[in-house]
Amino acid sequence: MEPTETLQPPQAEKSEILKQAKAYITQLLEEKLPKQIVYHSLAHTKAVVKEARKLGEDAGLDAADQEALLLAAWFHDAGYIETYDGHEYRSMELAEQWLSQQGYPAARIALVKDTIRGTHRNEPCETPLQQLLADADMSGMGREDFFANAELLRAEWETTLGKTYSNVEWAESQLDFLHGAKFHTDVATSRYEEQFKANIKEQRDRLKKTEKKKKKKEEEETGTFAEPKRGIETMFRTMYSNHMKLSDMADKKANMMISLNAILLSVIITYLGAKAGTKSGVLSPTIVNNPVLTIPIGLLLATALGSVVSAILCAQPDVTSFKWLKRSPQIATNRRVNLLFFGNFNKLSLDDFQHGMNQLMAQKDALYTNMVTDIYYLGDVLTRKYRLLRISYTIFMVGLILTALSFGIALLYKM
């Protein structure tokens, strides 16, 4: 019975060794744990010890095994002070060194080390103590603070391992982790199962929200047509408004030139035909008596005629048109067809027009294609209007200059 007494120290000794282990680990982690280790911190170790104590009590462990379990819980992450990957093995060495200094039984030290070994991902987790410690270590996935602790782990991996995750990637990895995780013991399953399932559900919801936010952000950055944005609509509205204003300005300027040159033509023709039927014939006596005036009057007449013709062509209604299949099944998606312009859709039957408009309203990309096509041909019409208007003004200006010069020369000739 003596070996058994050696393996199971009295209650006072167990309580004392745990107090000493708590003090030692607290000081060790506070002084030597790297600052970037924000998840596997002293707070995590204390949480694991707390959960291990409860699991051990629920599992009905005797005092000796409960002590070994709690000692393993205190030391299981101590190795982080020196190494990250494989810290469990360094934790075992630190536990052995300290417990040996305290005169702890060698067999119990071996049990503590073996219990810590079970927390390594590549080591078997088979004994009851190993499974209880592993469940206590992973109890966070069945607690309400899972998501807060997950963010600490994310920060720790980024600073320590250089692993960076987008919000979607992190949410996906956490959901995969929860789906693949399980508790080893019945007591842990009973204790954490309800919150564990709730965490899986919330993680799934968070992933959906994160993916939705990411998609929305991408659409805003790329300006996709999946959901038209106010900026796009404002752009089209502004472009249509500008085209209409420019067209109205061109028509007003053309009408002004038509009125002005029409008056000039009327005055010139009236003047040339004055006193017709007299001895001078069909021309005004002034022209007959001063034939040199024929040149400036003729220039003015030609100028007014050329200018008014250009202005009339500018103000003349223009309908762009082009050939395309009237019964094409893809009328709305044909980028050469503009169902929004009467010059195109008046060539369609009512049924074909309704069919094309239904296609247009059902496909947002087709709608924008038609609007872009409409703006393009509005610009084409404006280009023609302003070219003719420029010609009309140029003829008028050049004609007036030539008329004035020729009239001055005629006066000098007479003098």
Side-chain angles (χ1 to χ4, degrees):
M1 295 297 294
E2 292 181 1
T4 303
E5 293 176 358
T6 303
L7 292 177
Q8 297 183 2
Q11 181 68 27
E13 293 181 2
K14 289 190 299 178
S15 177
E16 187 62 28
I17 195 67
L18 288 175
K19 289 181 180 179
Q20 293 174 0
K22 177 181 178 180
Y24 173 73
I25 292 297
T26 298
Q27 182 179 4
L28 182 69
L29 296 183
E30 287 179 347
E31 294 179 355
K32 297 185 177 181
L33 187 68
K35 299 300 182 183
Q36 64 268 26
I37 307 297
V38 293
Y39 172 75
H40 295 97
S41 60
L42 177 60
H44 168 73
T45 297
K46 289 181 177 180
V48 172
V49 172
K50 177 181 177 181
E51 298 301 325
R53 178 179 288 106
K54 293 178 179 178
L55 291 177
E57 292 172 354
D58 293 344
L61 292 181
D62 57 33
D65 285 344
Q66 179 79 337
E67 179 184 274
L69 176 63
L70 296 180
L71 286 172
W74 277 114
F75 279 92
H76 83 287
D77 278 346
Y80 275 114
I81 64 172
E82 297 179 8
T83 183
Y84 200 88
D85 191 24
H87 67 277
E88 294 88 352
Y89 301 118
R90 182 55 183 151
S91 297
M92 293 165 59
E93 294 173 357
L94 291 172
E96 182 178 21
Q97 293 173 7
W98 186 82
L99 289 173
S100 297
Q101 293 174 1
Q102 308 307 312
Y104 203 66
R108 305 303 295 176
I109 294 176
L111 180 61
V112 171
K113 291 174 59 180
D114 187 62
T115 302
I116 297 174
R117 188 193 308 275
T119 61
H120 193 284
R121 61 182 178 276
N122 295 328
E123 293 287 352
C125 186
E126 300 172 341
T127 68
L129 292 185
Q130 287 177 336
Q131 293 178 349
L132 287 170
L133 181 59
D135 286 345
D137 194 19
M138 301 302 294
S139 62
M141 63 185 183
R143 299 201 310 264
E144 294 181 355
D145 59 356
F146 168 76
F147 296 99
N149 289 331
E151 290 303 315
L152 292 177
L153 181 62
R154 179 181 179 179
E156 181 177 303
W157 283 358
E158 289 180 352
T159 57
T160 305
L161 304 179
K163 294 182 178 181
T164 57
Y165 300 86
S166 66
N167 290 335
V168 173
E169 290 173 341
W170 181 252
E172 289 176 344
S173 68
Q174 290 299 96
L175 185 60
D176 291 341
F177 164 72
L178 290 175
H179 280 156
K182 65 177 182 179
F183 293 106
H184 297 86
T185 62
D186 292 337
V187 290
T189 301
S190 176
R191 181 176 180 80
Y192 306 117
E193 186 69 18
E194 183 177 352
Q195 186 61 45
F196 178 58
K197 291 181 178 179
N199 288 343
I200 292 178
K201 183 179 181 301
E202 184 174 350
Q203 185 64 67
R204 189 181 294 112
D205 293 340
R206 289 191 176 199
L207 177 58
K208 290 180 180 178
K209 291 180 181 178
T210 304
E211 289 177 336
K212 187 176 180 180
K213 288 181 180 178
K214 180 183 177 183
K215 183 179 179 181
K216 183 177 180 181
K217 183 177 180 181
E218 290 175 349
E219 289 174 357
E220 290 175 348
E221 291 176 349
T222 59
T224 63
F225 295 151
E227 184 177 355
K229 300 300 174 187
R230 181 176 298 177
I232 296 175
E233 295 173 351
T234 302
M235 178 193 70
F236 278 112
R237 208 163 28 240
T238 302
M239 292 182 72
Y240 272 116
S241 177
N242 289 340
H243 278 70
M244 294 301 102
K245 289 178 181 179
L246 290 171
S247 180
D248 184 57
M249 288 172 57
D251 289 338
K252 288 180 179 179
K253 291 178 181 293
N255 289 331
M256 183 179 68
M257 292 302 295
I258 292 171
S259 300
L260 178 60
N261 286 285
I263 293 173
L264 282 176
L265 287 171
S266 298
V267 171
I268 293 171
I269 292 173
T270 301
Y271 178 75
L272 290 176
K275 298 182 181 180
T278 62
K279 292 180 180 180
S280 60
V282 297
L283 295 177
S284 171
T286 305
I287 300 298
V288 174
N289 297 329
N290 300 283
V292 70
L293 295 177
T294 305
I295 295 175
I297 292 176
L299 283 173
L300 187 58
L301 181 63
T303 295
L305 182 62
S307 181
V308 76
V309 169
S310 299
I312 290 172
L313 290 175
C314 173
Q316 183 182 20
D318 188 19
V319 178
T320 55
S321 61
F322 33 79
K323 296 180 180 180
W324 46 282
L325 296 177
K326 291 184 178 181
R327 296 187 179 277
S328 170
Q330 299 298 328
I331 290 175
T333 57
N334 187 339
R335 69 183 185 90
R336 293 284 299 167
V337 177
N338 179 18
L339 286 177
L340 305 179
F341 180 57
F342 76 94
N344 292 169
F345 67 69
N346 66 355
K347 298 179 177 64
L348 292 173
S349 67
L350 177 60
D351 290 339
D352 289 336
F353 177 66
Q354 289 177 338
H355 174 67
M357 289 300 292
N358 287 331
Q359 283 185 334
L360 198 62
M361 291 184 289
Q363 303 175 36
K364 292 181 180 179
D365 55 343
L367 173 61
Y368 282 108
T369 297
N370 271 261
M371 292 175 70
V372 170
T373 303
D374 190 35
I375 290 175
Y376 176 84
Y377 284 108
L378 284 175
D380 187 51
V381 171
L382 278 178
T383 300
R384 180 178 178 277
K385 278 180 175 289
Y386 276 89
R387 183 175 64 250
L388 291 170
L389 190 61
R390 189 182 303 112
I391 293 173
S392 177
Y393 273 82
T394 302
I395 292 174
F396 186 74
M397 178 184 66
V398 173
L400 287 179
I401 293 172
L402 293 176
T403 298
L405 289 175
S406 62
F407 186 73
I409 294 171
L411 288 177
L412 290 174
Y413 174 78
K414 291 295 291 183
M415 291 173 63

